[in-house]
Amino acid sequence: MPSRKPTALSRAAASRKLRRAPGWVVRPRRLSREIRFQDFRQAMRFANRVARVAEKIGHHPDITIHGYRHIRIETHTHATGGLSSHDVALALAIENLLKS
């Protein structure tokens, strides 16, 4: 679970921390992941699972459903103006959802 105050991260530091989550792309000031599902229902179920995890840890991503089975998840931290430890923690939690 993220600490109360986010720790700002450089792109290089975020990349190192996300080595176990190769689907994530480190962009300027944000992390991004695109996922393709078999159908719309599966995509929506996963988006709802992400929402529950985000609520638990108190860090909320942008979730975009495009097409009928693609999801884009992006996360950044307003308080740091870019990437933070909270973004990495959320990305790793989402990656664990994909594995379960």
Side-chain angles (χ1 to χ4, degrees), residues 2-59:
S3 62
R4 287 191 175 272
K5 185 175 180 182
T7 303
L9 294 176
S10 68
R11 288 177 72 183
S15 291
R16 281 192 302 275
K17 291 178 180 291
L18 287 170
R19 283 190 187 132
R20 296 180 318 231
W24 287 88
V25 177
V26 180
R27 301 190 186 287
R29 297 183 300 276
R30 69 182 55 239
L31 301 178
S32 179
R33 175 85 153 91
E34 294 206 22
I35 309 160
R36 180 179 176 175
F37 295 92
Q38 289 180 330
D39 57 35
F40 181 74
R41 290 174 125 173
Q42 190 180 50
M44 292 306 298
R45 276 194 298 270
F46 187 76
N48 285 316
R49 290 177 68 202
V50 168
R52 285 190 293 276
V53 167
E55 277 294 303
K56 271 187 189 175
I57 65 176
H59 192 62

Side-chain angles (χ1 to χ4, degrees), residues 75-94:
T75 182
H76 64 283
T77 303
H78 295 284
T80 64
L83 295 171
S84 80
S85 53
H86 289 194
D87 300 308
V88 170
L90 180 59
L92 292 173
I94 292 168

Side-chain angles (χ1 to χ4, degrees), residues 62-83:
D62 296 330
I63 302 172
T64 306
I65 286 89
H66 53 99
Y68 68 95
R69 61 184 184 170
H70 293 87
I71 291 179
R72 178 181 301 125
I73 301 171
E74 293 186 320
T75 182
H76 64 283
T77 303
H78 295 284
T80 64
L83 295 171

